[in-house]
Amino acid sequence: MATSKGNESWSKVLLDKVVVITGAGGGIGSAISHTCALQGAKVVVSDVNKAAADKVVADIIATRNQEPDRIMSIKLDTADEKTIEEAVAKVVEKWGTIHVLVNAAANFTVGSIEDVSAAQWSQVFNVNVRGFALMAKHIVPLLKQQRSGSIIQIASISGVVAPLNFVPYSTAKGAVIQMTRNLALDLGSYNIRCNSISPGCIETPPVRKLAASLNMTLERFAQTQAQKQCMKRIGTPQEVANMIVFLASDLCPFITGANLLVDGGYTAI
């Protein structure tokens, strides 16, 4: 479960903003949900796994003293446009609008070009690229109407550099970074900011699975990754969530079209 360490001194920088988070039942998505709630947002915890979303909501209500009417969970498959339309309608019915979209849903398909099937290519792009675009498609009209808003997309350092045997995931995340730039250009005149965040090695379920596939403990895997970056450790979901909150807030009104690295200096070496 996410903790508030590192942001206790912030003062409700998302007060009453309606924040929609996809993939919110996972490690990074859960931390984003907790931190947005801590900062005063009305939070939509959406995930294809409704039970995971419900658990995040229950944890936030129990540990953040969050009022139940300021948080909701929604089953949302970002590969299915109809469910996106229905989810957006539910949020608007409850709170009237949406101020922030956080595209955090992810499909972690990796492999060499020979090993990845056509179905896997479709799946990784449906979730990591097409799903992001469809979420924006159905929320942007609300942001345009109020002439403000923030779209934040989770990319990856894998979209910046080329890890070994990461072809589909890296390709999709590179597309997310470019999509974000295009959105920033198209929506800037409406005072809508669009940015991406590229995490490095973060302690999440996909990283644990990757370590296991290499017959390594998480601790051993973290040690090998730490040597590749300036900070000499892997990151936490909370460190990504803090950056999300900054970009979602009104603290950075002149930041758009950026891809911000949260990677402990991995790409600096």
Side-chain angles (χ1 to χ4, degrees):
M1 185 177 65
T3 68
S4 61
K5 184 178 180 181
N7 55 39
E8 297 92 337
S9 62
W10 295 8
S11 180
K12 304 293 183 184
V13 295
L14 299 182
L15 186 61
D16 290 335
K17 288 186 184 290
V18 178
V19 180
V20 174
I21 305 156
T22 69
I28 290 177
S30 173
I32 295 168
S33 300
H34 273 264
T35 310
C36 287
L38 182 67
Q39 294 305 320
K42 297 175 181 176
V43 182
V44 181
V45 180
S46 73
D47 200 281
V48 69
N49 183 341
K50 182 62 160 56
D54 289 343
K55 183 178 186 306
V56 171
V57 168
D59 287 345
I60 290 173
I61 291 172
T63 63
R64 303 294 182 203
N65 199 27
Q66 179 82 334
E67 298 174 16
D69 65 348
R70 293 179 64 84
I71 189 165
M72 64 188 295
S73 67
I74 292 180
K75 180 178 174 61
L76 175 60
D77 180 358
T78 58
D80 183 344
E81 187 170 14
K82 188 172 187 292
T83 68
I84 292 173
E85 292 181 272
E86 291 171 349
V88 170
K90 285 180 184 178
V91 177
V92 172
E93 181 181 9
K94 184 175 180 66
W95 287 318
T97 192
I98 293 168
H99 300 100
V100 178
L101 166 63
V102 182
N103 271 324
N107 175 281
F108 194 70
T109 297
V110 298
S112 67
I113 195 66
E114 302 101 322
D115 296 333
V116 181
S117 68
Q120 287 175 311
W121 273 107
S122 295
Q123 187 176 31
V124 72
F125 265 77
N126 278 342
V127 176
N128 293 0
V129 182
R130 182 174 173 270
F132 282 25
L134 291 176
M135 287 299 301
K137 172 185 175 181
H138 290 284
I139 289 177
V140 159
L142 296 168
L143 306 185
K144 281 185 172 181
Q145 185 176 19
Q146 62 202 20
R147 299 192 70 83
S148 68
S150 178
I151 297 173
I152 307 158
Q153 313 213 99
I154 300 292
S156 170
I157 60 167
S158 300
V160 179
V161 296
L164 186 65
N165 293 329
F166 258 60
V167 175
Y169 187 76
S170 288
T171 303
K173 290 304 185 179
V176 168
I177 293 169
Q178 186 58 47
M179 183 203 307
T180 305
R181 295 189 186 107
N182 281 87
L183 289 175
L185 176 62
D186 292 352
L187 301 176
S189 60
Y190 295 92
N191 195 36
I192 299 168
R193 296 179 296 106
C194 307
N195 296 284
S196 58
I197 291 178
S198 286
C201 187
I202 307 294
E203 187 178 340
T204 58
V207 167
R208 296 188 190 99
K209 184 177 179 181
L210 179 59
S213 73
L214 298 171
N215 295 316
M216 300 173 70
T217 65
L218 177 62
E219 292 73 17
R220 178 58 184 153
F221 181 77
Q223 288 173 359
T224 63
Q225 294 301 305
Q227 301 311 308
K228 301 176 183 178
Q229 49 208 41
C230 300
M231 300 301 292
K232 305 308 177 189
R233 64 176 177 84
I234 66 173
T236 68
Q238 184 65 61
E239 289 168 316
V240 178
N242 289 347
M243 181 62 79
I244 292 281
V245 167
F246 174 64
L247 290 174
S249 76
D250 297 326
L251 295 172
C252 52
F254 206 51
I255 298 178
T256 195
N259 177 50
L260 302 178
L261 300 163
V262 184
D263 68 349
Y266 180 96
T267 52
I269 299 176

